[in-house]
Amino acid sequence: MSHLIKTTDEIERIRESGRILAKALRRLRSVAVPGVSLMDLDSLAKRIITENGGTPAFLGYRPEGARTKYPFTLCASVNNVIVHGRPSPYRLKSGDVLKLD
């Protein structure tokens, strides 16, 4: 069982991670407009996270049973893709519903 009580240092690291995530999501929201590709959003997310001292959590993640590591920073789901869509060259269109995590 993992520790439920966090140290002061752990709490501060979690807080800083949240700040980096919030900064990345605010910026992505501002550039997720018609014409931008999902790969452009992925590249921007990686840049923002790394420039602010973070490490993208999804990038290189390999769950048990997976053949390969996940090659992207984001999961980008458009329209009928419910969750965990992969960034692609797809360019957003007016009216698209986009979910990022």
Side-chain angles (χ1 to χ4, degrees):
M1 185 160 111
S2 65
H3 294 95
L4 297 177
I5 298 174
K6 303 295 183 194
T7 66
T8 303
D9 181 59
E10 288 170 325
I11 292 168
E12 184 50 40
R13 289 173 40 204
I14 292 166
R15 183 178 289 123
E16 184 56 27
S17 295
R19 285 185 190 117
I20 294 169
L21 176 60
K23 183 175 190 173
L25 289 174
R26 277 192 304 271
R27 181 73 176 118
L28 290 168
R29 182 176 60 192
S30 74
V31 301
V33 297
V36 72
S37 78
L38 300 181
M39 292 301 291
D40 293 339
L41 295 175
D42 190 72
S43 294
L44 178 60
K46 182 178 180 183
R47 190 174 82 236
I48 292 168
I49 292 168
T50 57
E51 286 178 356
N52 284 277
T55 302
F58 290 154
L59 184 61
Y61 176 66
R62 184 176 179 191
E64 187 175 333
R67 285 186 252 157
T68 60
K69 295 178 180 179
Y70 190 71
F72 303 107
T73 296
L74 295 174
C75 290
S77 306
V78 179
N79 299 327
N80 64 339
V81 178
I82 303 295
V83 67
H84 296 156
R86 296 167 63 105
S88 69
Y90 178 82
R91 294 192 176 275
L92 293 174
K93 295 180 179 76
S94 181
D96 279 344
V97 176
L98 173 66
K99 181 194 168 289
L100 299 174
D101 56 308

